[in-house]
Amino acid sequence: MRLNEHEYAIELEWTGDQGAGTAGPRAYRRTHIVRARGKLHDLHGSADRAFHGDRDRWNPEELLLAALADCHMMSYLYAAARRGVIVRGYADSPTALLRQNGQGGGAIVEAVLRPRVVMADASMLEHAEALHEEAAETCFINASVAFPVRHEPTVSLLT
């Protein structure tokens, strides 16, 4: 592995065998556990409820959206710190649209990030909004997805 390469590894275990394995589409649960060495908690996953999954577990589409929003936030905060823009708060309510193709498959066709950034200094508001473009360009996950990612940021002052 090269100096500028990073490898990631997880363990994935299906936990949904109800005694008959995959004897039919409704014979098994979609539950699974995702683990990574050194992590405090496992992720308990399933399919989306629309695909016979468990509503109370993370589904792959939510995990992809979470990774995208998390990466954008980390890239944004790093860009702000490098540029001397002091961020005091950050939250996001992203969405993704999955479109089925009618043949059992489909794809996420768009994601929208809606970061809400809070600043303490009014003189940094304009620069803070512009940093979203830099964050989008440097986010590894954003560069890895095959669908458009729109950004609808808001920047406000700390009250």
Side-chain angles (χ1 to χ4, degrees), residues 135-146:
E137 291 172 4
T138 59
C139 169
F140 303 135
I141 306 300
N142 188 67
S144 302
V145 298

Side-chain angles (χ1 to χ4, degrees), residues 68 72 109-113 136 141-143 145-151:
L68 183 61
H72 183 82
V109 296
E110 177 187 56
V112 181
L113 304 184
I141 306 300
N142 188 67
V145 298
F147 52 84
V149 178
R150 287 190 299 118
H151 300 88

Side-chain angles (χ1 to χ4, degrees), residues 5-74:
E5 292 180 335
H6 305 274
E7 185 174 271
Y8 299 91
I10 63 161
E11 294 291 327
L12 177 69
E13 178 186 0
W14 173 53
T15 59
D17 184 0
Q18 299 185 104
T22 57
R26 302 225 184 215
Y28 65 96
R29 294 183 65 205
R30 276 63 175 171
T31 57
H32 56 276
I33 297 175
V34 182
R35 296 180 181 96
R37 180 177 293 154
K39 301 298 182 207
L40 294 176
H41 304 285
D42 297 340
L43 289 175
H44 294 267
S46 185
D48 187 324
R49 183 78 179 140
F51 308 112
H52 314 294
D54 292 351
R55 182 174 298 157
D56 62 335
R57 291 176 173 239
W58 287 90
N59 66 57
E61 296 80 14
E62 291 168 329
L63 291 170
L64 177 61
L65 183 59
L68 183 61
D70 194 1
C71 183
H72 183 82
M73 180 185 70
M74 293 297 163

